Amino acid sequence: MAEQPLLIVSNRGPCRFTRGPDGEVTAQRGGGGLVTALSGLAAVRPVTWIASALSDEDAEMAARGPYRDGDLTVRMVVHDREEYDRYYNVFANPTLWFIHHYLWGLATEPSVDRNVRLAWDAGYVPVNQRFADAVVAELESAEGDLPPVMLQDYHLFVAPADIRERVPEAVIQHFSHIPWPMPDYWRVLPPEIRQTIHESMLACDVIGLHTARYVGNFLASVAQFTDARVDTEAATVHFRGRTVRVTSRPISVDPEEFDRLAASEAVLAEREALQAWRPEKVVLRVDRTDPSKNVVRGIQAFELFLSDHPEWEGRVTLLAKLDPSRQDIPEYTEYMGAIQRAARTVNDRFYTTDDWQAVDLRISDNFPEAIAGYAEYDVLLVNAIFDGMNLVAKEAPLVNDRDGVLILSENAGAHPELGEHALTVNPFDLQEQADAIHTALVMPEDERRNRIAGLRAQVREHDITRWVEALMDDLARARPEAVER
Ligand code: F6P
């Protein structure tokens, strides 16, 4: 029997369109962890993917109808520019993103002003409605069983209620790729907004989160902000005559993809360049320039380590490979500046020579260079303030050739799975991070080898296929007769 078709819905889609020098518009693969993780699904079953048109070329292609590539159909939703700006650059980021990652310094920010309310009323809500319209149109035109709807991430919190109201028999799953914060932090938002978000989420059949900690927070949130009945032990919520299951499903990576990437010509060329450049030891971080990633404290911790251990001056560099992110948002441009200032402060303090500098900041979107860095690190620093999962912590050990040591924030979603093989740090504690860098650099070889073997075994066993299967099982339980595995 043919595999059941799926309807995936996310803000950023599996492809984007660009115009070449010949004027032809062609499809490129879209970026980001979510897209990579879900793209595999399209290889094994028919998928219709609804996503935002993010450029003029995307909108141009959307006007021509859905784009088809084998069993994958991409339907792009074209938004009003201003509405989308309020939705993406004000409400989803930074307002929601900062709530989910506890990034607001509440003594001074945020102020829920006219701008934020406008971003909700005339941005987030209507853009979610456009997505719901597209989903409902797909469901209404489906032949046979309705395809399950798989909504992704914090961009789409209020679409579920709309879809449920218009297609009551729909099977709806929502997966959040970011942490779910503690209930009190939601109180940043006005009561009617936080209630609308939580009630809409309860229009789903299944809600997926990365870790048990996030599941606990979600259950506590809906208990506070809705009149639902929560069964914490069963991780179910009873709301308006329906039962919603909340599951912990840690996302992962495709190890074979990283085996292939590591052997690719582009990565090998970058490795050669890194080998020509490298000092005796390399401490690597690979991140988007997002405040949640804690880049500034990472640089400060490295400075502290060098001042505590002057014998390492000239021998080890912090290589920070950073992908510029969300630069239309003031909080992000300011953070980029803070990163650059922090690196400058350290490099001014420690004498830079022709062969060595303390911090090497490389701000560019260069994926092959990042993978080459994965192969070359001695220490990998993942000190996120809070992070949904952090796929770097899973990807890099697969590729690493130097028995590198992982330093991992206790607040990364990857920590429950990888923590026993890593050096755990509190992301706010500079001294602990500085000490961890030193411990990692002087760690005996057999301990390093055991730790990285543990990391690889964990990731290879709990790979992306397993995550996708878990999501399919969740859908099957939501409507057993409709979703075949
Ligand atoms: O981590 C959540 C997530 O939505 C990822 O799926 C994505 O890669 C990342 O945030 C970046 O989001 P954006 O591309 O909108 O900046």
Side-chain angles (χ1 to χ4, degrees):
M1 184 176 168
E3 291 281 10
Q4 165 82 9
L6 298 171
L7 195 51
I8 299 176
V9 195
S10 64
N11 179 54
R12 211 172 277 278
C15 62
R16 60 196 165 86
F17 295 98
T18 52
R19 190 181 303 283
D22 55 359
E24 274 298 297
V25 175
T26 52
Q28 321 281 321
R29 191 182 153 154
L34 176 164
V35 163
T36 312
L38 288 166
S39 292
L41 264 178
V44 292
R45 63 177 72 218
V47 167
T48 296
W49 198 317
I50 297 173
S52 290
L54 296 173
S55 65
D56 291 344
E57 287 81 8
D58 285 358
E60 189 184 316
M61 291 302 283
R64 294 188 205 168
Y67 168 79
R68 290 201 167 80
D69 178 9
D71 265 354
L72 171 68
T73 303
V74 182
R75 198 176 278 281
M76 286 191 167
V77 183
V78 181
H79 303 290
D80 172 83
R81 211 178 272 260
E82 250 180 272
E83 223 167 65
Y84 186 84
D85 178 62
R86 293 184 198 115
Y87 149 87
Y88 184 85
N89 289 323
V90 183
F91 203 82
N93 309 295
T95 305
L96 284 177
W97 181 272
F98 275 36
I99 288 173
H100 283 265
H101 295 84
Y102 306 89
L103 296 175
W104 294 116
L106 296 185
T108 53
E109 55 182 7
S111 296
V112 178
D113 54 12
R114 227 181 123 249
N115 194 33
V116 173
R117 284 184 189 273
L118 188 70
W120 168 258
D121 289 332
Y124 193 80
V125 171
V127 166
N128 268 258
Q129 275 164 358
R130 298 291 92 78
F131 272 105
D133 292 343
V135 170
V136 169
E138 285 294 327
L139 294 177
E140 283 175 347
S141 65
E143 287 164 17
D145 285 335
L146 292 182
V149 182
M150 302 172 75
L151 297 158
Q152 307 300 312
D153 240 346
Y154 60 104
H155 309 93
L156 297 172
F157 282 155
V158 297
D162 209 355
I163 299 168
R164 174 68 63 209
E165 200 185 315
R166 293 158 68 186
V167 188
E169 70 279 25
V171 175
I172 310 175
Q173 179 183 59
H174 188 287
F175 195 92
S176 284
H177 295 260
I178 59 177
W180 200 272
M182 293 183 297
D184 272 350
Y185 211 70
W186 277 104
R187 292 181 184 277
V188 164
L189 291 177
E192 68 280 9
I193 295 183
R194 58 188 192 234
Q195 185 180 343
T196 302
I197 289 174
H198 285 84
E199 287 186 351
S200 171
M201 287 294 278
L202 295 181
C204 297
D205 298 288
V206 194
I207 290 170
L209 296 150
H210 284 312
T211 70
R213 211 160 129 187
Y214 308 157
V215 168
N217 288 343
F218 181 85
L219 296 172
S221 289
V222 288
Q224 283 199 27
F225 303 131
T226 73
D227 55 11
R229 189 164 51 79
V230 174
D231 182 338
T232 310
E233 209 144 288
T236 51
V237 184
H238 306 279
F239 185 62
R240 298 188 182 158
R242 299 176 39 263
T243 298
V244 185
R245 287 181 62 236
V246 188
T247 58
S248 158
R249 304 290 181 221
I251 201 168
S252 192
V253 298
D254 174 5
E256 282 168 23
E257 184 193 349
F258 283 88
D259 295 342
R260 276 193 302 277
L261 278 168
S264 70
E265 269 179 40
V267 169
L268 292 175
E270 291 290 350
R271 263 195 91 170
E272 224 172 278
L274 275 185
Q275 280 164 354
W277 158 88
R278 62 165 302 137
E280 183 187 328
K281 300 278 183 188
V282 173
V283 178
L284 174 76
R285 71 173 310 136
V286 176
D287 287 300
R288 288 184 300 106
T289 53
D290 192 297
S292 66
K293 304 294 181 182
N294 211 17
V295 182
V296 171
R297 284 197 193 85
I299 293 171
Q300 291 166 342
F302 189 74
E303 178 180 19
L304 187 56
F305 149 75
L306 276 183
S307 65
D308 284 351
H309 299 279
E311 71 280 11
W312 281 99
E313 206 177 316
R315 294 168 58 200
V316 56
T317 287
L318 171 63
L319 173 61
K321 268 272 325 120
L322 304 176
D323 192 356
S325 184
R326 302 178 187 165
Q327 291 299 297
D328 290 332
I329 302 170
E331 284 79 356
Y332 282 76
T333 43
E334 279 159 26
Y335 193 65
M336 176 90 98
I339 292 170
Q340 287 165 323
R341 284 195 297 280
R344 181 64 202 249
T345 304
V346 183
N347 286 336
D348 282 350
R349 174 169 174 192
F350 297 97
Y351 188 66
T352 300
T353 66
D354 286 347
D355 297 330
W356 182 78
Q357 80 184 116
V359 180
D360 191 329
L361 204 56
R362 300 192 186 181
I363 302 181
S364 68
D365 176 7
N366 181 347
F367 191 53
E369 192 189 32
I371 307 293
Y374 286 177
E376 290 292 322
Y377 71 83
D378 300 283
V379 181
L380 178 69
L381 181 60
V382 178
N383 67 331
I385 290 175
F386 282 92
D387 204 339
M389 172 53 63
N390 196 288
L391 290 180
V392 170
K394 293 192 169 182
E395 294 165 357
L398 295 173
V399 173
N400 186 257
D401 260 351
R402 298 178 62 88
D403 296 331
V405 180
L406 171 64
I407 297 178
L408 185 59
S409 164
E410 61 178 316
N411 294 334
H415 192 267
E417 292 175 278
L418 306 184
E420 65 173 302
H421 310 293
L423 298 178
T424 297
V425 289
N426 172 328
F428 307 101
D429 188 335
L430 297 188
Q431 188 65 57
E432 190 185 30
Q433 289 167 67
D435 293 348
I437 292 170
H438 184 253
T439 305
L441 287 172
V442 300
M443 188 179 282
E445 205 182 317
D446 55 342
E447 186 180 345
R448 286 192 280 124
R449 208 174 299 132
N450 285 340
R451 282 178 185 264
I452 199 162
L455 292 170
R456 286 181 186 138
Q458 167 68 30
V459 177
R460 285 194 185 273
E461 197 185 333
H462 302 265
D463 64 0
I464 190 64
T465 311
R466 212 155 144 163
W467 180 75
V468 166
E469 282 171 5
L471 259 58
M472 293 301 110
D473 283 346
D474 287 344
L475 279 171
R477 282 187 69 179
R479 193 180 63 180
E481 74 285 6
V483 183
E484 299 245 327
R485 287 248 340 264

